[in-house]
Amino acid sequence: MRNLLEFIYSELASGRPVVSAVIVTSSGSTPRSTGSRMAVSVDGRCQGSVGGGPGEAMAQRKAQTVHQTWHSTLLSLDLSGKEAADAGMICGGKQEILLEYIPADHKNAELFSRLLTAWDAGQASSLCTVFIQKSQETIILDRTLDSASLADSVPAPLREEARRSAHTSRLPTIAHQDACTLLVEPIRPPGTVFIAGAGHVGQTTADLAAYVGFRTIIIDDRADFLIPERFPRAGRLHHAPGFEACFQQLDMPADSFIVIVTRGHVHDKNVLTQALQTRAEYIGMIGSKKKRKAIYEALRQQGVAQSALDQVHCPIGLSIGADTPEEIAVSIVAELIQERVKVG
């Protein structure tokens, strides 16, 4: 998503309009769901995806028409039936894609600049778009980040729905009133993964987590392990004086993920003790069931509730028979993605 926001902002700031393609309805079996977005520049460059294949190619071609006419439109795709099968679209569902012409003016550049700034700061935001379809043209009535500032021309029920969805919904919301359609898109950063342990598993997990969009913070008490060459994608390398106080001087928002992969049981126990006192959404610890039993028993004796321990993912990662550091990293990041979907 960040690459998409940056692409749109860069084009607008450079004086070039953009056509934004976003799926507003999706039913049946389709490659992407409501809220999936793609941007198409005036010279045909694309960022993002609305599903790939012939359907996306059709959206790209239609986007070039929108660039020429300056008129937004609603593209309906039927991915079922013989005609779709002949075109290679065999998913079997239906989609509507809003192709919105975004002029390269100061207002639009500022809007996407704010989205990008919020993303980089780890702050959630919502993009509210209200449109009405007349004949072959789709008219954008309003587009804003502040649901409370929707224009008076927007029906009151939609304004109320925008305010509600922008603050509570984690998934795109569609609502209709008086021929108007409201699309509320929560734009939430992918989350930050705090990886305690800069060894082989920590290194490969950090690289893979960053590759799928997570911001990564690597924590270790060995300065010689925390070098940029080992963690080229890391958001931050944090040298802790010891694992007994590894989260000090680190801001940890509620949607954080903690991965505990240190070099020893004692360090893992120390990190887990602190992790249970944070607001982290996910806590995972590497280790066997025997190791888990020993550490959990020690923590229970220290007064940690069993209900808290039950929230810890240990052994960490999805069960895929992983053995090597790279395979373990795949299992860990797969579980992080699974949990991120639940959170976001």
Side-chain angles (χ1 to χ4, degrees):
M1 175 59 82
R2 190 194 187 284
N3 290 339
L4 177 65
L5 296 175
E6 186 175 32
F7 177 86
I8 295 175
Y9 170 69
S10 177
E11 291 297 298
L12 297 177
S14 299
R16 296 185 292 268
V18 171
V19 171
S20 169
V22 58
I23 299 175
V24 293
T25 63
S26 180
S27 62
S29 178
T30 58
R32 296 297 296 272
S33 57
T34 301
S36 298
R37 182 182 283 273
M38 173 179 69
V40 183
S41 69
V42 70
D43 59 3
R45 289 174 293 113
C46 298
Q47 185 67 246
S49 175
V50 290
E56 181 165 296
M58 190 180 299
Q60 292 172 354
R61 289 194 296 271
K62 191 65 174 179
Q64 290 306 310
T65 300
V66 172
H67 268 299
Q68 295 171 10
T69 63
W70 297 5
H71 291 162
S72 301
T73 190
L74 200 60
L75 174 64
S76 296
L77 294 179
D78 187 347
L79 309 181
S80 62
K82 183 179 185 304
E83 184 177 346
D86 291 342
M89 298 185 292
I90 58 174
C91 295
K94 296 181 179 181
Q95 290 179 329
E96 285 186 315
I97 301 176
L98 173 63
L99 294 164
E100 179 188 356
Y101 181 76
I102 305 178
D105 56 32
H106 175 74
K107 179 181 178 181
N108 288 324
E110 173 63 22
L111 183 144
F112 282 93
S113 174
R114 288 171 58 194
L115 279 173
L116 194 56
T117 299
W119 181 280
D120 288 341
Q123 299 171 353
S125 55
S126 292
L127 182 61
C128 303
T129 305
V130 181
F131 60 93
I132 184 171
Q133 188 176 19
K134 291 186 176 181
S135 186
Q136 297 301 311
E137 183 180 354
T138 299
I139 300 172
I140 307 299
L141 296 182
D142 206 351
R143 187 197 317 108
T144 179
L145 299 183
D146 182 7
S147 56
S149 67
L150 284 171
D152 291 340
S153 58
V154 175
L158 290 190
R159 294 201 301 271
E160 180 58 34
E161 177 63 23
R163 284 190 288 269
R164 186 193 65 79
S165 299
H167 291 93
T168 63
S169 179
R170 294 179 179 273
L171 296 173
T173 299
I174 290 284
H176 306 279
Q177 179 72 32
D178 297 338
C180 294
T181 298
L182 164 72
L183 171 64
V184 179
E185 301 171 81
I187 299 179
R188 300 177 182 273
T192 300
V193 181
F194 293 80
I195 301 175
H200 294 306
V201 173
Q203 182 183 20
T204 51
T205 299
D207 190 56
L208 187 55
Y211 184 76
V212 298
F214 287 101
R215 178 171 177 258
T216 57
I217 297 179
I218 322 302
I219 307 166
D220 208 292
D221 58 353
R222 300 166 293 181
D224 55 327
F225 275 62
L226 297 171
I227 55 177
E229 290 77 12
R230 297 189 71 241
F231 296 96
R233 297 174 179 267
R236 178 177 176 183
L237 302 176
H238 179 68
H239 180 214
F243 283 111
E244 300 83 1
C246 63
F247 296 134
Q248 288 185 359
Q249 301 179 346
L250 291 175
D251 179 36
M252 188 174 297
D255 61 350
S256 297
F257 302 77
I258 296 177
V259 172
I260 305 172
V261 287
T262 76
R263 62 186 182 276
H265 289 25
V266 174
H267 295 317
D268 286 344
K269 174 179 172 292
N270 288 334
V271 176
L272 179 57
T273 301
Q274 298 164 74
L276 290 170
Q277 300 172 22
T278 69
R279 302 180 296 158
E281 192 76 33
Y282 168 96
I283 300 172
M285 182 176 69
I286 198 169
S288 64
K289 294 180 180 179
K290 181 179 179 180
K291 168 186 170 179
R292 177 182 64 188
K293 181 178 179 181
I295 291 179
Y296 282 19
E297 179 58 31
L299 291 178
R300 280 193 294 267
Q301 291 180 7
Q302 295 176 11
V304 176
Q306 182 62 46
S307 58
L309 296 173
D310 290 341
Q311 303 304 309
V312 179
H313 295 253
C314 182
I316 194 172
L318 299 184
S319 179
I320 60 173
D323 183 42
T324 67
E326 293 78 13
E327 292 171 347
I328 294 171
V330 169
S331 74
I332 292 173
V333 175
E335 187 168 71
L336 293 177
I337 293 171
Q338 185 180 71
E339 293 301 313
R340 178 168 67 182
V341 171
K342 294 178 183 178
V343 174

